[in-house]
Amino acid sequence: MNETTKHKGLRRHLIQRLRIKGIQSKDVLNLMLDVPRHLFMDPSLINFAYEDNAYPISSDQTISQPYTVAFQSELLDVSATHKVLEIGTGSGYQTAILLGLSSMVYTIERQQALFKKTQRLFLQLGYRPKKHIFGDGYKGLPTEAPFDRIIVTAGAPVVPKPLLNQLTIGGKLVIPIGEKEQIMTRFIRTSKTSFDKEEFGRFRFVPLLENKN
Ligand code: SAH
């Protein structure tokens, strides 16, 4: 069996497990069947790429657990016309899934070494976010706002106000909120000044850090 067939087989098993855990979006599951997560992993951990776990990448950060990626992607409810902002590019794996859902993806990472590494990987694999930015995602991306969808892939102690303000009316923000442990939270902007808030269970993320490049 060659590597491609082997990896595809492992992804098929992973997708089955995600389905059993409650992921329903066909678009998200199909993308996770296609995107080669092993190429976003640290080479020493490649054999674990299709386990449903988070793993260390460089700069003390982690590649999110596949279930978490699927869960956040499903909650984000992206369609092809949406302008999407991701805070916390990390390995780029979640970005690759988002790029399968919309071609207008903007992504921000605050760890410079990781930013550069993932930038090279995107080029190598042919993933083309509209912008991949090195900076502090706490502030969002005012020059490109508003966004239909915003996803934060690090744990925020509180919801950053700029992110709420950069949503379109009807726009959605999916963000894990909390210190040691986070509650997955979705905000929907219902008018210029009002938001609906929904909560969806507990997760663990590396922290969203402010103002420190
Ligand atoms: N989606 C990524 C998750 C990486 S972990 C993946 O699956 O690989 C979260 C990432 O958020 C880390 O890379 C961390 O450096 C980044 N991060 C933390 N605070 C940030 C901030 N204020 N702005 C942008 N990125 C941030």
Side-chain angles (χ1 to χ4, degrees):
M1 190 192 294
N2 68 30
E3 281 302 292
T4 313
T5 319
K6 184 182 102 187
H7 286 130
K8 185 100 184 182
L10 292 171
R11 284 202 289 279
R12 206 163 275 129
H13 283 287
L14 174 62
I15 295 320
Q16 268 316 106
R17 289 204 291 278
L18 296 178
R19 238 191 273 264
I20 290 165
K21 286 183 174 177
I23 303 299
Q24 292 179 1
S25 162
K26 286 208 173 65
D27 287 345
V28 171
L29 290 169
N30 282 335
L31 282 161
M32 293 186 71
L33 187 58
D34 280 346
V35 175
R37 185 173 187 250
H38 61 285
L39 301 180
F40 295 84
M41 301 273 294
D42 185 287
S44 65
L45 295 168
I46 230 165
N47 288 340
F48 302 105
Y50 299 108
E51 298 294 323
D52 191 16
N53 289 319
Y55 289 101
I57 47 177
S58 48
S59 309
D60 281 336
Q61 303 304 321
T62 55
I63 178 167
S64 297
Q65 182 183 346
Y67 175 69
T68 305
V69 172
F71 193 85
Q72 285 199 280
S73 303
E74 187 164 87
L75 279 186
L76 199 62
D77 184 26
V78 179
S79 62
T81 56
H82 286 156
K83 197 166 164 183
V84 182
L85 175 63
E86 177 190 35
I87 312 297
T89 320
S91 68
Y93 176 70
Q94 170 77 72
T95 322
I97 302 295
L98 295 173
L99 282 165
L101 299 167
S102 162
S103 58
M104 283 174 290
V105 177
Y106 298 74
T107 184
I108 308 180
E109 172 56 53
R110 71 176 278 289
Q111 295 280 354
Q112 192 161 33
L114 190 52
F115 166 79
K116 286 192 172 147
K117 187 172 168 195
T118 302
Q119 194 173 41
R120 281 195 297 275
L121 187 70
F122 282 156
L123 269 177
Q124 216 180 317
L125 301 181
Y127 290 106
R128 302 250 184 285
K130 280 271 173 212
K131 287 198 176 154
H132 176 205
I133 291 160
F134 167 58
D136 179 12
Y138 234 91
K139 304 182 186 70
L141 192 56
T143 52
E144 302 288 346
F147 294 94
D148 301 295
R149 298 291 184 263
I150 303 179
I151 176 173
V152 179
T153 71
V158 293
V159 58
K161 286 270 151 45
L163 299 185
L164 289 172
N165 289 332
Q166 288 173 33
L167 283 175
T168 55
I169 310 292
K172 296 179 181 175
L173 164 64
V174 173
I175 177 168
I177 299 181
E179 307 258 358
K180 270 199 185 133
E181 198 179 61
Q182 294 83 30
I183 308 277
M184 192 61 75
T185 309
R186 179 167 68 180
F187 291 89
I188 304 180
R189 188 172 203 170
T190 49
S191 76
K192 200 166 181 338
T193 51
S194 57
F195 297 85
D196 280 348
K197 180 181 169 187
E198 304 161 279
E199 294 183 333
F200 299 90
R202 291 169 196 284
F203 290 80
R204 268 178 196 273
F205 284 82
V206 295
L208 182 74
L209 298 170
E210 202 172 358
N211 277 345
K212 218 187 94 196
N213 291 322

